[in-house]
Amino acid sequence: MTVRIVEVTDAGNLVIEGQRCVVVNNDKETITIRGEVRGKDVRPDNTIYSYDLANVQITYAGSDPRKPARKVGLITRLINLVF
């Protein structure tokens, strides 16, 4: 996931944040990751390992999984009523 630096803390740590939007079964889902990383943990190819992140916040936003994007057929509705 691509992230950007949004803040530099007093201790010199980098606060990074990134978003990824995907479409699954016609439902748009957005994943946001925010966390801190030490500058020395940034590798020469400008990447970091996930285990080097601290204070990680992961936010997931998408449509309600109980409400599918496509219309459900009559037989499926009947089965869902029974179970």
Side-chain angles (χ1 to χ4, degrees), residues 14-66:
L14 308 172
V15 179
I16 59 171
E17 183 175 287
Q19 280 189 339
R20 172 71 50 112
C21 295
V22 294
V23 177
V24 178
N25 294 331
N26 295 325
D27 292 330
K28 183 178 177 184
E29 301 171 352
T30 304
I31 301 168
T32 304
I33 296 179
R34 182 181 175 98
E36 282 185 47
V37 66
R38 297 180 299 186
K40 69 179 188 176
D41 290 332
V42 179
R43 300 178 43 201
D45 61 352
N46 216 18
T47 60
I48 58 171
Y49 290 116
S50 59
Y51 55 76
D52 287 330
L53 283 173
N55 301 326
V56 177
Q57 299 170 348
I58 301 174
T59 307
Y60 173 83
S63 61
D64 189 348
R66 294 170 294 177

Side-chain angles (χ1 to χ4, degrees), residues 63-80:
S63 61
D64 189 348
R66 294 170 294 177
K67 297 179 183 174
R70 288 187 248 157
K71 290 196 173 200
V72 179
L74 178 63
I75 294 174
T76 304
R77 278 190 257 163
L78 291 173
I79 291 172
N80 287 339

